[in-house]
Each structure stands twice: as C-alpha cells, then as structure tokens.
Amino acid sequence: MSTSYTLEITVISGENIRKNRKPVKKDAFVVIRTDSHKFYTTKMDAGGGSYPAWNEKVAVDMPMHARFITVEVQCKTSGGSKTVGTARVPLSDFVGGYVPQNYLHFLSYRLRDCNGERNGIINISVRAKVPEYASCSRAEIGVPLALGETYSGGVVTGVPIWCAYPAKF
Amino acid sequence: MGNCFSDELGGRAAVGGTSASHNNPTNAPNDAVDHFLHSRGYHGLFSQIELSYSASDLRDRDLLSKSDPLLVAYAKGRDGMLEELGRTEVVLNSLNPTWITKHNITHQFEIVQTLVFRVYDVDTQFHNVEVKMLKLDEQQFLGEATGVLSEIVTKSNRSLTLDLVYREESSGSVRLRNHGKLTVHAEECINSKTTTEMDPFLVISKVVENGIPIPVCKTEVMKNELKPTWKPVYLNIQQVGSKDSPLVIECFNFNSNGKHDLIGKVQKSLADLEKLHSSEQGESLFLPTPVGHNYHNKVLKSQLFVEKYYESIQHTFLDYLAGGCALNFMAAIDFTASNGNPRLPDSLHYIDPSGRPNAYQRAIIEVGEVLQFYDADKRFPAWGFGARPIDGPVSHCFNLNGSSHHCEVEGIQGIMMAYTSALLNVSLAGPTLFGPVIGNAALIASQSLANGGRKYFVLLIITDGVVTDLQETKDALVKASDLPLSILIVGVGGADFKEMEILDADKGERLESSTGRVASRDIVQFVPLRDVQGGQISVVQALLAELPTQFLTYMRTRDIQPNP
C-alpha cells in the first residue's frame, strides 16, 4: 500500500483579498501546504489586484494520514512576502461520501489573517487522482437509507452523507 | 448602404443582434464561476426556436381538387387568450403539406408555453390575397392541434406529432373528431459561435439569394489608423448560414455625416477566413469601379489579414436536455404547527371542500407542471418535515406517502395525493428545520453521481416560515453547492422571510458554513408566494428563471458535454 496519493488542485482565483485591511494591489500568490513539510506555490498574479486569478493546476502529494490542506494567500513585499490570509481545508470536504472518487469538486473558503480576522475568499477545484485498482465507486457504504426513522427528537445531528467517510483515511 | 452606421463609437455593436458581452441574467454572486466561464467565452442563455410544420391526412373539403392548406400558429397566454405568432403560405392541392414558412419563438424555460395550431383550407378565390390579409373566418377550418413548446424541444428529434381535431356538430350535439396529424419540428437557432479578429471599420454582411448583402456585424472605428487592428467580432453560424456561405467584408472610411466611403471589400466565407488566418496571408481588397455601363473590380494594394480565428460551441440548456440530461424533481412540504390547524379554514393547510387549492397545493401544481416536462420518469421523491407521524416523535424528513421504505410518488398527482393523505396522518409540530431535507436531497444527488447518472436535481421546499436551523441549513447548502442540485424555496403565508432572502444569495454575501467553507455557486432561489399574488410575474417564472443558469454553471464548470 502506498503512503501517499495525489490531489489535482486548481487554484482558480481570490476575491476581495486585503492586506492590513486595504485591498491588495498586485502580486498575490498562493501556497498550498499539506501537513508534511512539503508545499506548492503558484505564480504571482500581476493584474488582478484584490481579485487575483491564477487558474493554475498543481499536483499535490498527500500523505495518507493527512486530514487537512492549508491554502495561504501571500503577497510580495519589499522584504520578501507576507501571508495575508489562510484557509484550512478539511479533506472530508471532498473525500468520502457517495460521489465518485474522481469527481471534480469546486470549493470556496473564507480566508482569515494571522489574527483570525475575516479576509476574502479563495476559490479552488480539487480532483483526487485515483489509481486504477481503487477507482471503483464505494456507493455501497452501509448507511441506512430509510429517510423517516433516522431523525428523532428535536435535534438533528447530521445527515448520513457527510459522516459516512470510509475508514480509508 | 453605409448610411446605417453613424455612430462614432461603433464598438462591437452587431447589426444582427449578437451581443458579445458576458450576459449574466442572474447576477449570481460567484466570481469564481463567473470568471471561469467568462474566460472560456460563455455568454448568456439563448433559446430562440424556429418551428417548422408538416401535416398528413388532412380533411378534404374541396370537391374537384384537394384542400389548399394554410397553418396559423398561436401562443396561448395564461389567461387563455390566443396570440397569433404567424401564418404559413398556402400549399396548393395537398392533403399532406410541408410548409416552408417557419416561425421563430423564444423558448422560456420557466413558462409553460402552450401553442395552438389551426389549419385552414384557403378557397381558390382568395389565392391572390396575401396570407396575412386573409380573414380566417371566411376559410374552411380543417382542424386544430395544441402542444407545449417544452414538449417539442425535449424530444430527441425535436419533432412532435399532434392530432388535428375539429368539432363536428350533428343533430344538436358537438363531437370532437380527429382528422389528420400535424408534426411540429423545433430547431434551435443559435448554438455555436465563431469569432474572427481582424482590422478603419469593417462591415460584414451575408449574401442572400437576391444578391443584396445583409449586414451581420461591424467593427469599431479605428481613428486615424492606416494599419488598424480591430477587436474581435463574434458571428454565430446561424446568422451567416454556414461556414461556406459567402460573406462580404467591406472596409469603410468613417464619415461623421453618415456617408461612409467604401475603401474596398472582399468576399469570403468563414472557411476562407479560417484559411487566411492559418496561412497568415493577406487578401487584397477590391473596389467595384464603373467602366462604361458595367462595373470592373479594381484590385487594391490594401490587404485584409485575419489575426484571430476560433470557433467555440456553446451548449445551451436545451442541448443538455435533448442530450439525455434529465432534471429530477423533488418536493418537501412544511408541516410545522405555525401553518395552523388544517381543519380550520384559516390554516395554510386547509383543504377546501370546494376544491379551491390552498397555498401549498398551488405551489405544487404551479412549479410541478413546469418541471415535470423536463423529468423523464415523473417519479418524484416527496417529503414532509416538522410533524409527528402517528405515534412517533417529530420527524424533520418523513416520506410524504407514508411509506417507511421509499419516498417516491408518481407524478404531480402523486404528490398532491400523498400531501392530502399525510395531512390526515400526521400532527403538526415544530421546529422548522431544513437541514435534514436538504441533506436527503444531496444524498440522492450524490448517489446518482456514484451510479454514473447524468441527472440534475431540483428540490422544491414549500414553507410558511422562519427556519430554526439557519446555520445548519447554510452548512447543508454550502455542501450541496458542489452537487448537481438546485433548491427552490416557496414561502407561503404572511411570515417574515428575511432569512430566506439570506439563503437566496442573490442579494448579498455568498453563503458561508460554520467551518468557513463558502458556497461555490448559488443554488437557492427563494420567492414568497404573497409577493406575486395578483402581481404581474407568476411565481413560477420568478422561481425558475434562475434554474437554467444554475444548471449550466454546474455543467460548464465541470466541462460536462451533452450527448450529441
């Protein structure tokens, strides 16, 4: 069994990205980190200002045990670069559930700066590169389909699809 | 000819009416998707439909020869009034006519567009009269057929055969009789676009049979420029006929008095222009110069280059439907106690013995009758929420048909029946939670994906009030935004629907979940039923206007193509 797999992540664009509460003027780029020490960097966006567009595809090697990827929007400064916003993306947003493993997910996340304050939005798409032997769909997970009985009492704790992650990870 | 262009800032205005701008009808606040689509040259929705007709086995009303049929097409308004769309020519002496005249009609997804076709036998004495001047009550009526536009366009061959009916009065009784069949064929006018980029101002015209060019589009005016490079112009194949149809490209010197001087012209088809582009060769302009009584084409030194040329196919909503992509309709009904006791007439759930539909029934019928045309199997999952089924605790998603195993019902009628029987079998309770219903709809949508289905799901939620689980609902919607699912919410009754407006992200921020994930596209459309009572726009129109765009956003971002 291999210890990693590949995610094809397209960093599409950012919206309303700010640095020190002011709109970013230019040269924003994105760093994607898995929980190992590996990271991936996009090119700088020259013309988009606070609405940068990258449309850049990166193949990210994911360690099997990873639960999150981190997406950072950074900005070139005179002395190097500064992280202006970060989003933590749980893998459960696109791994598991019923959809085919190679499904193309379009995902957007709120960025937060180092003080935890809201910044803009990052748009990405993610597709898992599934080895041939594992690509059969796991449609038959033992989740009860009966719609009536699952919910009891006034509190609803969730819906099967999103808590039915397979034991793979 | 040059007189038609007197605007100095010509821009990319097209005479033929093709807009090159990104025409987003919904203002969906999703820069990711918008940008993505824009960068790929996708524009707004077009569904101009051209109808053509043929008939067979018409009644024969002439004694010596066969009938001379003429067809009149009408659109039936919501008030039942007929509006004439147009008339065909008279086909002489035929009981199986194929008419040449075609009628254009705009297909609006969100409306049931009922069409009525009447066929008349035009008497010989009227044959010299122009068809539009004919008084139809002086003609022999051969029959009438009624069809719905969406039925025609969703057929795989886009042809629908209808029975021609006429009323026969005999001995005081009226009988309807079938006589003959009418086949209506729908052709979508616009589905692919071609772009060319070239260089003072150009007018591109197509050449039609009588030889007079019809302007299709023109470029902007380049001021004081001997080597101009114009912005790209967009032509669609339907406008020009075909790739091989001859086009006249005229280069004018702009004159502010509107009398532009012709510098020169070329005659080329799109295919020729494509070759010019790939060979990077210039084409010399020529100028017709009078020589005696004839014209002589003087070849000029000026040349025309094609700098960019590309073709792109824009699949429309209809392409997807005809290409085997089905819409699947689901319904969820609010059974919370705030609706009022169903036995009392002031309840929103009151079943009027007179048969007058209550607000819930109206919403089911109005939305359902539109959507069912696009749903092939007409089996609809239907749920209720916020009630206590017999002897059970409150359920926030129970099967409307009372079954513990399957949630599907047959047709709109099935929803109506399940709804009325559920009213007798559950006791209204609370609170109002949307999360479980949206979760179940998302589950069905993702299971369909897992099975390789090409389906798009539409969940109709009819509710009287404020959601208790606003954040949980947002979480469910954010997750569902990645699935082939749209959610239509109809608000009934007089409650405050502010929160629904938040869910319908049109007006403000994109929906954000408690974990910081943001909806990748708008999938919710909310309309309060009271807004439209007695108003101009029907609730259905308001509800469904966004659906084709939501659908196309899903398909196009994923590069999903319709089957040919």
Side-chain angles (χ1 to χ4, degrees):
Chain A
M1 191 76 190
S2 65
T3 54
S4 73
Y5 61 102
T6 307
L7 288 180
E8 220 174 69
I9 300 180
T10 304
V11 182
I12 302 171
S13 61
E15 294 171 37
N16 196 18
I17 311 282
R18 283 158 296 155
K19 184 171 78 176
N20 303 327
R21 302 198 173 166
K22 284 189 276 288
V24 163
K25 290 207 182 72
K26 59 172 187 172
D27 294 343
F29 61 98
V30 173
V31 177
I32 295 173
R33 296 181 200 277
T34 62
D35 69 347
S36 62
H37 298 291
K38 277 184 134 176
F39 63 92
Y40 302 82
T41 307
T42 67
K43 292 189 198 68
M44 275 188 284
D45 169 80
S50 60
Y51 286 79
W54 298 280
N55 287 313
E56 195 170 324
K57 198 184 268 185
V58 284
V60 176
D61 268 333
M62 289 301 296
M64 275 309 197
H65 60 271
R67 292 280 185 278
F68 288 92
I69 51 174
T70 311
V71 181
E72 293 172 11
V73 177
Q74 299 196 8
C75 218
K76 206 181 94 177
T77 58
S78 48
S81 62
K82 178 184 158 71
T83 301
V84 295
T86 306
R88 219 158 101 99
V89 178
L91 296 196
S92 54
D93 280 354
F94 49 88
V95 174
Y98 284 89
V99 298
Q101 285 189 7
N102 62 353
Y103 185 69
L104 179 60
H105 297 268
F106 281 83
L107 305 167
S108 303
Y109 293 92
R110 172 67 61 191
L111 295 163
R112 296 206 173 251
D113 67 12
C114 51
N115 302 321
E117 278 191 47
R118 280 159 65 99
N119 203 323
I121 291 172
I122 179 88
N123 300 305
I124 60 174
S125 74
V126 180
R127 189 199 293 270
K129 292 268 261 184
V130 186
E132 280 300 310
Y133 61 85
S135 63
C136 58
S137 159
R138 289 184 313 255
E140 271 67 60
I141 304 179
V143 176
L145 255 184
L147 302 171
E149 292 81 0
T150 325
Y151 310 103
S152 53
V155 181
V156 172
T157 44
V159 177
I161 169 173
W162 299 299
C163 52
Y165 307 133
K168 188 173 170 188
F169 295 103
Chain B
M1 144 95 249
N3 293 345
C4 5
F5 312 106
S6 53
D7 50 332
E8 202 144 351
L9 299 167
R12 273 185 272 164
V15 180
T18 319
S19 164
S21 67
H22 178 61
N23 183 5
N24 184 347
T26 60
N27 305 316
N30 188 335
D31 291 352
V33 173
D34 280 359
H35 181 86
F36 187 91
L37 294 178
H38 205 167
S39 68
R40 278 160 180 71
Y42 290 126
H43 307 294
L45 288 170
F46 285 101
S47 40
Q48 196 70 28
I49 304 287
E50 184 181 78
L51 298 176
S52 51
Y53 318 96
S54 61
S56 58
D57 297 328
L58 292 179
R59 272 200 306 164
D60 197 358
R61 299 292 299 260
D62 291 6
L63 292 175
L64 299 172
S65 66
K66 298 196 177 100
S67 297
D68 303 321
L70 157 101
L71 179 139
V72 188
Y74 301 89
K76 195 174 193 171
R78 279 196 92 76
D79 50 2
M81 294 291 281
L82 294 183
E83 184 201 344
E84 187 173 320
L85 293 173
R87 301 175 180 190
T88 65
E89 78 281 12
V90 177
V91 175
L92 294 183
N93 204 16
S94 172
L95 299 181
N96 301 296
T98 298
W99 287 280
I100 293 166
T101 309
K102 294 166 180 60
H103 294 140
N104 283 331
I105 179 166
T106 307
H107 175 238
Q108 283 169 286
F109 165 79
E110 69 276 16
I111 301 178
V112 175
Q113 288 168 281
T114 306
L115 301 176
V116 175
F117 307 99
R118 289 183 179 154
V119 181
Y120 295 89
D121 174 20
V122 178
D123 252 352
T124 324
Q125 54 170 313
F126 297 111
H127 284 184
N128 292 324
V129 181
E130 229 183 302
V131 285
K132 64 180 175 205
M133 305 302 289
L134 285 174
K135 290 200 179 105
L136 293 174
D137 48 11
E138 290 173 356
Q139 313 304 325
Q140 303 254 29
F141 182 60
L142 295 181
E144 175 178 292
T146 304
V148 175
L149 186 57
S150 43
E151 256 184 285
I152 306 170
V153 297
T154 51
K155 290 270 183 224
S156 58
N157 60 358
R158 299 214 171 152
S159 288
L160 184 69
T161 301
L162 303 162
D163 287 324
L164 280 171
V165 180
Y166 73 94
R167 294 151 65 92
E168 191 177 64
E169 291 183 40
S170 57
S171 57
S173 69
V174 179
R175 285 196 299 167
L176 290 178
R177 285 208 158 196
N178 284 353
H179 211 305
K181 297 206 181 286
L182 174 71
T183 300
V184 184
H185 179 73
E187 199 66 58
E188 198 171 357
C189 298
I190 297 162
N191 55 16
S192 72
K193 287 198 174 188
T194 303
T195 309
T196 29
E197 179 165 287
M198 293 171 288
D199 221 46
F201 97 84
L202 299 178
V203 176
I204 302 178
S205 312
K206 66 173 172 182
V207 182
V208 291
E209 284 132 38
N210 58 11
I212 299 169
I214 298 174
V216 180
C217 69
K218 64 174 178 124
T219 67
E220 78 277 21
V221 179
M222 300 294 288
K223 283 205 150 184
N224 197 16
E225 185 64 82
L226 292 175
K227 288 187 172 181
T229 303
W230 290 284
K231 287 180 189 159
V233 294
Y234 298 85
L235 297 174
N236 66 63
I237 292 282
Q238 193 267 331
Q239 276 180 329
V240 300
S242 79
K243 250 185 108 169
D244 298 314
S245 317
L247 297 174
V248 176
I249 302 168
E250 290 165 301
C251 185
F252 286 97
N253 185 17
F254 181 83
N255 202 327
S256 55
N257 68 9
K259 292 180 181 165
H260 310 302
D261 308 314
L262 180 65
I263 299 169
K265 62 181 182 179
V266 295
Q267 180 158 341
K268 291 282 165 199
S269 67
L270 283 177
D272 298 332
L273 293 175
E274 189 178 13
K275 277 184 210 135
L276 274 182
H277 170 245
S278 57
S279 66
E280 296 177 16
Q281 301 276 308
E283 175 74 19
S284 297
L285 300 179
F286 63 85
L287 188 63
T289 337
V291 177
H293 292 292
N294 291 316
Y295 277 91
H296 169 75
N297 284 335
K298 182 182 168 196
V299 180
L300 308 174
K301 280 184 187 161
S302 316
Q303 288 194 313
L304 178 77
F305 293 86
V306 181
E307 193 162 287
K308 272 191 194 168
Y309 181 98
Y310 65 84
E311 291 178 22
S312 65
I313 296 185
Q314 295 208 307
H315 292 298
T316 63
F317 185 63
L318 297 183
D319 290 334
Y320 284 96
L321 292 183
C325 203
L327 283 192
N328 280 47
F329 179 44
M330 310 187 254
I333 293 169
D334 184 339
F335 283 89
T336 52
S338 52
N339 285 289
N341 185 343
R343 287 175 195 85
L344 303 176
D346 61 352
S347 166
L348 292 164
H349 277 310
Y350 180 66
I351 304 286
D352 195 327
S354 74
R356 191 171 163 271
N358 66 30
Y360 283 88
Q361 290 169 315
R362 265 182 52 207
I364 296 169
I365 294 169
E366 291 214 353
V367 183
E369 79 172 353
V370 173
L371 280 180
Q372 66 166 348
F373 284 116
Y374 301 92
D375 187 320
D377 65 5
K378 307 209 193 312
R379 294 178 58 84
F380 309 124
W383 301 293
F385 58 92
R388 198 176 287 116
I390 297 171
D391 301 334
V394 175
S395 169
H396 298 293
C397 187
F398 57 88
N399 295 335
L400 206 57
N401 57 15
S403 160
S404 54
H405 303 293
H406 62 95
C407 55
E408 286 186 342
V409 296
E410 293 277 351
I412 299 303
Q413 206 47 46
I415 301 180
M416 295 293 270
M417 279 159 57
Y419 165 69
T420 40
S421 71
L423 273 180
L424 302 173
N425 292 320
V426 301
S427 43
L428 274 52
T432 309
L433 304 185
F434 283 1
V437 166
I438 296 172
N440 270 309
L443 183 67
I444 290 177
S446 55
Q447 280 172 335
S448 159
L449 284 174
N451 297 327
R454 288 163 57 86
K455 291 178 176 169
Y456 192 90
F457 294 83
V458 182
L459 169 65
L460 167 69
I461 300 177
I462 313 173
T463 181
D464 81 317
V466 184
V467 275
T468 318
D469 63 337
L470 186 62
Q471 188 57 53
E472 191 194 327
T473 302
K474 282 187 188 173
D475 289 3
L477 290 172
V478 167
K479 282 169 176 160
S481 68
D482 192 32
L483 292 168
L485 177 64
S486 283
I487 294 165
L488 307 174
I489 303 175
V490 173
V492 293
D496 179 10
F497 291 118
K498 261 200 204 85
E499 286 173 338
M500 299 296 165
E501 302 284 359
I502 297 172
L503 295 178
D504 183 351
D506 288 358
K507 284 128 199 150
E509 291 264 291
R510 287 162 71 178
L511 291 180
E512 192 165 331
S513 81
S514 44
T515 62
R517 187 172 159 190
V518 179
S520 58
R521 63 190 180 102
D522 176 22
I523 64 165
V524 180
Q525 176 68 8
F526 168 73
V527 172
L529 201 59
R530 62 155 187 261
D531 261 16
V532 292
Q533 275 171 342
Q536 292 290 314
I537 336 165
S538 91
V539 65
V540 187
Q541 217 165 332
L543 269 172
L544 299 188
E546 279 188 24
L547 188 59
T549 312
Q550 292 181 359
F551 172 95
L552 286 173
T553 306
Y554 179 85
M555 296 297 168
R556 287 171 175 175
T557 46
R558 282 170 179 74
D559 251 335
I560 299 171
Q561 306 289 328
N563 292 332

